[in-house]
Amino acid sequence: MADAAAQVVIAEPLSRPAPGTFGRTVGFFRTLMRTKPLGFISLIIILLLAVLAAFPGAFATHEPADTRAGVRLQKYCLGPRDTFLCPTVVEKSATFGDRNVPGKLSNPFGTDQLGRDNYSRIVYGARNAFYVGVGAVVISTALALLIGVTSGYFGGRYDAVLQRLVDAVMALPVLVVLLAATTMLGGATFGKLIVLLGLLGGFSGSRVIRSAVISVRSAQFLEAARVLGATDARIMVRHVIPNIFGPLMVQATIGIGSIILAEAALSFLGFGVVDPDQPTWGQMLQISQQIASIRPDQLVWPGLFIALAVFSFNMLGDALRDLLDPRLRGARGSFG
């Protein structure tokens, strides 16, 4: 009995179950919010813009192409009338005389020179911006993977020849190529812009992918896969690409912002989509600059949303780079 009482039973430590996919996702966003607050705020802004892009009809107050002669060039109206939030402007006209143009809450961002509601056009412009940005990034990512993975994995003469082709494409001035291509193709459409921007972005993005592949090319798990008889194609698809997921996500995130900016630049120069039923932020800037001398506030809203979208994608990509690359964790401040 004494011997039995003297026996000490040592309990085995309880093993904590590994978190599932949902738990890892929640943990990642919690880490993003705690360590990279600016990146988390940028993610919230992107999600809000994505909701606008997905359901523009639910948020817009007018059709984007509706023209109303009686309400043209209204000021913005974001609060009580005849205050700085909703000013009344005096429009001078030699033909019709002076008239007061009060702001209306139904047109929170005012109207353009054709009486179209700026707020509704901004909302529908978000849809087109995301459509071009995401579509072009899908093409550029696929092309970057094809070039970067094969070039970095095989190396040698194949890598040298392919990289000289990439050098030649990257040496071309992107904006000039886009202007020439859209002119030769008979004008821009969203489909043409997606393909052109995706192809140009794919060549430049392949450099980042190639560097990531070279860093894992001599890893032991790849050697083990070769010993087990895995083909080169299987190794690249099953082992190489999953291990460069971090740089790939960062590049795709920042790429969307760059493509939105490039599309806006083309539209501002008059080489973008000119369909009034399909407004873009760059198209709105191009129209607003025609009357910038008398109504500079018309430039504010499309310019603000372009800057907000590009800034948010860049900041989110920067935060993802710091979180997904262990070498960069803690290398920047908490607001990076």
Side-chain angles (χ1 to χ4, degrees):
M1 181 69 68
D3 293 339
Q7 291 180 356
V8 179
V9 178
I10 301 177
E12 295 184 0
L14 297 177
S15 59
R16 181 176 298 177
T21 303
F22 178 76
R24 289 194 298 269
T25 303
V26 172
F28 176 79
F29 286 115
R30 186 183 295 117
T31 303
L32 177 65
M33 180 175 61
R34 186 179 65 254
T35 61
K36 300 293 177 181
L38 186 55
F40 184 76
I41 293 173
S42 298
L43 176 62
I44 298 299
I45 294 173
I46 291 171
L47 292 177
L48 292 176
L49 291 175
V51 171
L52 287 180
F55 309 101
F59 295 94
T61 56
H62 301 80
E63 289 297 322
D66 283 352
T67 58
R68 295 163 294 161
V71 295
R72 60 187 181 87
L73 289 179
Q74 279 187 346
K75 271 276 196 176
Y76 58 89
C77 186
L78 302 172
R81 182 173 292 186
D82 295 329
T83 65
F84 75 96
L85 291 175
C86 189
T88 297
V89 297
V90 177
E91 183 184 84
K92 297 183 178 296
S93 173
T95 304
F96 302 103
D98 298 349
R99 71 183 184 110
N100 291 330
V101 185
K104 295 182 179 179
L105 287 173
S106 60
N107 306 114
F109 294 170
T111 57
D112 63 9
Q113 55 265 52
L114 298 179
R116 296 176 296 191
D117 180 53
N118 286 330
Y119 165 73
S120 299
R121 291 174 64 78
I122 287 288
V123 171
Y124 279 91
R127 178 186 65 179
N128 295 326
F130 272 76
Y131 176 54
V132 173
V134 174
V137 161
V138 170
I139 294 177
S140 66
T141 302
L143 181 60
L145 279 174
L146 177 63
I147 296 175
V149 171
T150 56
S151 181
Y153 181 81
F154 291 111
R157 184 175 299 176
Y158 175 82
D159 177 42
V161 172
L162 204 55
Q163 290 309 303
R164 300 297 75 77
L165 174 63
V166 173
D167 289 337
V169 174
M170 292 180 63
L172 299 174
V174 176
L175 188 58
V176 174
V177 171
L178 290 173
L179 294 177
T182 52
T183 302
M184 293 173 58
L185 293 174
T189 63
F190 287 120
K192 294 176 184 177
L193 288 179
I194 289 173
V195 173
L196 289 173
L197 292 170
L199 291 177
L200 291 175
F203 281 96
S204 60
S206 66
R207 283 294 176 85
V208 178
I209 303 301
R210 173 179 174 270
S211 299
V213 172
I214 291 176
S215 66
V216 301
R217 183 173 58 188
S218 58
Q220 292 183 354
F221 63 88
L222 293 186
E223 295 294 336
R226 294 190 187 98
V227 171
L228 293 175
T231 62
D232 290 333
R234 181 179 177 84
I235 291 174
M236 286 187 285
V237 173
R238 295 293 300 273
H239 301 286
V240 174
I241 293 179
N243 281 279
I244 61 171
F245 180 76
L248 189 65
M249 282 296 298
V250 173
Q251 180 174 290
T253 303
I254 297 177
I256 294 177
S258 301
I259 289 170
I260 290 175
L261 188 61
E263 187 278 328
L266 278 178
S267 296
F268 180 75
L269 294 174
F271 289 86
V273 178
V274 295
D275 185 357
D277 292 328
Q278 299 291 338
T280 66
W281 294 336
Q283 180 193 115
M284 293 182 66
L285 273 180
Q286 196 270 339
I287 294 173
S288 299
Q289 62 90 25
Q290 301 172 9
I291 57 170
S293 59
I294 59 174
R295 290 296 301 279
D297 59 288
Q298 291 281 316
L299 296 168
V300 171
W301 304 112
L304 176 64
F305 275 82
I306 292 172
L308 188 64
V310 175
F311 177 80
S312 297
F313 277 109
N314 286 344
M315 289 300 99
L316 178 60
D318 190 64
L320 290 177
R321 179 179 59 185
D322 290 353
L323 291 179
L324 296 176
D325 190 342
R327 296 169 297 177
L328 296 177
R329 291 175 185 170
R332 299 182 178 227
S334 60
F335 292 97

